[in-house]
Amino acid sequence: MESTERESSAQALSNPAQALINWDLAASAAARLAPAGPVLNQAEIGEAVESLRRAADESVGHVHQITGLEAARDLRDSSVLIVDRASWSKANTQSFAVMLKPAMEKMLANRRGTVSPSAASVSGAITGSQLGAILAFLSSKVLGQYDPFSALAENSHGPAGGRLLLVAPNIVAVERELNVTPEDFRLWVCLHEQTHRVQFAAAPWLRDHMLDQIEELSEHLLGNVDSLMERATAAARSLKDRSASGDTPGRGAILDLLQDPEEKAAISHLTAVMSLLEGHANVVMDAVDASIVPSVKTIRQRFNARGKDRGIIEKFIRSLLGLDAKMRQYSDGARFVRAVVDVAGMEGFNKVWESADHLPTEPEIHDAKLWLERMGL
């Protein structure tokens, strides 16, 4: 037992993220719990993968034409991966570990000697299992995701610029559900996701800036860990009450844990950045007409209408995780981008990628005139 505790203690010091959250367990739990995807034979799988690769390549030129960002001309520092649900979950555990590592190191340093290695191991397993359940749910919903943090993961051999993940079974499932032309839908999805890839290529400082902001927010949350369960209980109760009354949480019950001014400031900034990124990608998608995606009008109508059919349990989970708030980020950010482009053109809007100081604040996202005035446009 003494030897085992010494080994666990050494692991906690060498890999603090693993000590507090068992990432390997999270990935395996997500793979085990994820719902089954659409039934495809080997030929259909191969066709879907090749089709998505073609769509990913084709979409870059359209993103360049619409955005005017020269970064779209050369994306060789990042890669495109066609993945299944389990691989998407595994990739996200790796990125979460990168994002949370600094805050976890500080938390362990502050609590050194107060938590035994065995207790840390049990806690990490519990948290890993819980995260795995969340990832399992999300892994059946996500169509694609740009991951700028993958190159920073432990033992990573990936390109420095990150990786674009296209979740093939989910894309196939949705195109079947909507009964739309597969080639058109796949290109439409890739236009959104490749825009994110171009954003980070155009603003190479953005990854480190987001990591700094995530670290600051994580430190506040983990630093207040003693009151975290109390606040979590209160947030869940609030969600239940608001669900019963028909009210919708502003950002999701999990983010209702934020109370301190520093916490609120950190999440306000991240909300503004995410609204910008998602809104900009949606504007690019909306700029696409039938000459690029012949059935784009049908795709938009059916895709936007599908959320009305969600069941009670899924609606509850989406509210808890703040996914409906994410959808509002798409519309809020898109309104900001369109308002700026209407006044300053796409060239004026692209000043946003020049430095962190040019990023809009949350009030500016809701009132583009404030950002335009600050930028002198």
Side-chain angles (χ1 to χ4, degrees), residues 1 4-6 8-10 12 19-20 108 111-124:
M1 175 66 73
T4 301
E5 287 197 359
R6 280 200 300 268
S8 299
S9 179
L20 293 175
L108 282 177
R111 291 173 170 265
R112 187 162 294 157
T114 64
V115 180
S116 70
S118 58
S121 177
V122 171
S123 176

Side-chain angles (χ1 to χ4, degrees), residues 44-373:
E44 290 171 326
I45 292 173
E47 186 279 328
V49 169
E50 289 305 312
S51 173
L52 283 169
R53 290 197 181 281
R54 288 195 304 271
D57 288 341
E58 181 183 346
S59 62
V60 177
H62 298 306
V63 173
H64 175 252
Q65 181 180 12
I66 294 168
T67 65
L69 291 171
E70 286 303 303
R73 288 190 182 275
D74 188 356
L75 295 174
R76 287 177 296 177
D77 69 335
S78 58
S79 61
V80 177
L81 300 179
I82 315 301
V83 299
D84 58 15
R85 293 172 177 177
S87 297
W88 177 87
S89 295
K90 176 67 174 178
N92 273 269
T93 61
Q94 294 168 348
S95 292
F96 287 161
V98 169
M99 290 185 280
L100 295 178
K101 182 179 180 180
M104 289 182 169
E105 286 178 336
K106 291 182 180 179
M107 179 183 173
L108 282 177
N110 292 336
R111 291 173 170 265
R112 187 162 294 157
T114 64
V115 180
S116 70
S118 58
S121 177
V122 171
S123 176
I126 293 173
T127 309
S129 297
Q130 293 170 336
L131 177 60
I134 294 173
L135 287 172
F137 172 79
L138 295 176
S139 72
S140 65
K141 309 298 178 186
V142 175
L143 301 182
Q145 174 189 351
Y146 184 64
D147 175 10
F149 309 118
S150 60
L152 304 178
E154 188 174 357
N155 299 322
S156 172
H157 301 292
R163 58 192 176 190
L164 173 62
L165 307 172
L166 296 171
V167 191
N170 296 348
I171 293 173
V172 172
V174 173
E175 69 192 25
R176 288 180 175 181
E177 174 191 341
L178 301 181
N179 191 26
V180 293
T181 305
E183 292 78 9
D184 287 3
F185 184 72
R186 294 166 190 178
L187 178 57
W188 189 71
V189 170
C190 286
L191 285 162
H192 181 102
E193 302 306 335
Q194 287 284 37
T195 300
H196 289 315
R197 191 179 177 202
V198 170
Q199 290 165 347
F200 281 87
W205 49 267
L206 183 56
R207 180 182 69 180
D208 289 340
H209 177 73
M210 290 190 68
L211 280 175
D212 290 342
Q213 297 300 312
I214 291 168
E215 178 183 350
E216 181 180 345
L217 178 59
S218 301
E219 285 181 12
H220 285 300
L221 286 174
L222 295 176
N224 294 331
V225 70
D226 292 333
S227 64
L228 198 58
M229 290 308 298
E230 180 181 343
R231 288 192 284 167
T233 300
R237 188 183 305 115
S238 174
L239 175 63
K240 180 180 179 181
D241 293 341
R242 281 179 292 191
S243 297
S245 65
D247 295 334
T248 303
R251 292 193 177 103
I254 286 180
L255 295 183
D256 287 345
L257 300 177
L258 305 173
Q259 291 182 343
D260 295 344
E262 294 85 357
E263 293 174 348
K264 292 181 178 179
I267 195 61
S268 176
H269 180 73
L270 283 171
T271 297
V273 174
M274 294 306 300
S275 296
L276 169 72
L277 300 181
E278 298 295 355
H280 180 238
N282 262 23
V283 167
V284 171
M285 290 175 76
D286 290 343
V288 171
D289 58 22
S291 67
I292 298 173
V293 179
S295 58
V296 65
K297 185 176 180 179
T298 299
I299 290 172
R300 285 195 190 112
Q301 290 175 339
R302 295 181 183 177
F303 188 83
N304 292 335
R306 67 191 291 265
K308 299 176 182 178
D309 299 326
R310 294 191 181 106
I312 296 297
I313 294 177
E314 182 175 344
K315 287 180 179 179
F316 178 85
I317 294 174
R318 292 181 68 87
S319 294
L320 184 68
L321 298 177
L323 298 183
D324 291 327
K326 181 177 173 64
M327 296 306 296
R328 286 193 292 278
Q329 287 179 1
Y330 283 52
S331 57
D332 292 345
R335 278 194 296 271
F336 168 81
V337 174
R338 292 191 184 100
V340 171
V341 172
D342 285 346
V343 173
M346 190 61 76
E347 183 178 354
F349 167 78
N350 283 341
K351 287 176 66 70
V352 78
W353 311 117
E354 293 177 0
S355 75
D357 292 336
H358 289 188
L359 290 172
T361 64
E362 195 170 9
E364 288 171 342
I365 285 288
H366 297 289
D367 187 354
K369 289 184 294 184
L370 298 175
W371 186 84
L372 286 164
E373 292 172 359

